[in-house]
Amino acid sequence: MSVSLVVVDDQAAVREALAVMLDLADGIDVVATAADGREALEVVAAHEPDVVLMDLHMPVLDGVAATGRIKATAPGVQVVVLTTFGDDESILAALEAGASGYLTKEAERARIEQAVRDAGAGEVVLAPEVQRRLITLATRRARPAAEAVEFTAREREILGLIGEGLRNPEIARRLVISEATVKTHINNLFAKAGFRSRADAVRYALNTAEPQPWRPDRGTP
């Protein structure tokens, strides 16, 4: 089953190139394009896509504001940001608006294609450099004095790995448990915390992370 996609970018050449490239990819069907955030809202309402590939800095309505409005009116639509900006402010603003993915335009074609498919399947999609930025940001934030949610030790361990961007098979291998067990723990922690998406879990994990320096050997999946 194909993932229906809307491509949003204010640069016509970039928008058209992305639309052609992704429409040719297996499992992706580009249903529309938009030149700014306001047009994106109209297109999403008309086509109800699975995923929106969203630029950030655009006229009329920027990508962060458009993402927030899309998630408010169509929470089932997944938004993956594709931008030239990889600064802390842009990353956090997009994720807080509800984006489930963040890539920079330096990403290879195969990576962008896979990101669209993964987002359509409900996965969080973060470029390696974005993951590193988020982990660094997490170390600068103090852990809340009291946790609102009481997770088991295993659930918190899995939540931390979700925060690092690992997928279920990678979590299973890291913890030497089955994927079914991982899914059970994830379902439990989602229910406890009221997470609606994996992106919610990533944001929570980053905000409650124990301060620790990022090390190259932690790697990126």
Side-chain angles (χ1 to χ4, degrees):
M1 187 174 180
S2 294
V3 175
S4 56
L5 175 69
V6 166
V7 177
V8 184
D9 198 296
D10 65 322
Q11 296 183 8
V14 174
R15 182 174 66 250
E16 292 167 6
L18 284 170
V20 171
M21 176 188 80
L22 292 168
D23 200 45
L24 292 173
D26 292 337
I28 299 174
D29 179 22
V30 177
V31 296
T33 63
D36 57 58
R38 186 172 64 187
E39 187 177 344
L41 298 178
E42 297 170 355
V43 168
V44 167
H47 294 273
E48 299 181 350
D50 298 313
V51 179
V52 175
L53 192 64
M54 180 77 73
D55 190 19
L56 280 189
H57 295 261
M58 298 181 292
V60 185
L61 186 68
D62 67 28
V64 170
T67 296
R69 294 190 190 182
I70 287 172
K71 296 303 292 185
T73 58
V77 176
Q78 304 303 314
V79 178
V80 175
V81 169
L82 181 65
T83 180
T84 56
F85 300 90
D87 58 283
D88 297 351
E89 183 178 355
S90 296
I91 294 169
L92 290 176
L95 294 178
E96 288 171 358
S100 57
Y102 198 108
L103 301 176
T104 64
K105 289 182 178 178
E106 296 177 357
E108 297 179 354
R109 170 177 178 171
R111 176 59 176 149
I112 298 173
E113 293 174 0
Q114 190 59 48
V116 171
R117 297 189 194 96
D118 288 346
E123 297 285 346
V124 173
V125 182
L126 298 174
E129 63 273 19
V130 171
Q131 290 186 34
R132 289 193 289 271
R133 295 296 304 163
L134 288 174
I135 291 170
T136 300
L137 283 171
T139 66
R140 298 174 186 167
R141 296 186 174 190
R143 187 183 182 88
E147 295 292 346
V149 183
E150 292 185 2
F151 296 115
T152 66
R154 179 63 89 184
E155 288 167 355
R156 187 160 294 284
E157 190 174 20
I158 289 174
L159 182 61
L161 294 176
I162 290 175
E164 291 184 31
L166 272 65
R167 301 174 186 170
N168 290 2
E170 295 163 328
I171 293 173
R173 287 195 296 271
R174 177 77 67 86
L175 300 180
V176 195
I177 57 178
S178 69
E179 284 188 51
T181 300
V182 171
K183 289 180 181 178
T184 297
H185 285 304
I186 289 176
N187 288 338
N188 289 341
L189 65 88
F190 268 48
K192 287 181 179 181
F195 297 147
R196 293 181 300 174
S197 69
R198 210 170 175 97
D200 289 341
V202 169
R203 285 189 288 271
Y204 184 95
L206 291 170
N207 285 332
T208 59
E210 290 284 6
Q212 53 182 302
W214 179 82
R215 304 188 309 272
D217 61 357
R218 292 183 67 181
T220 304

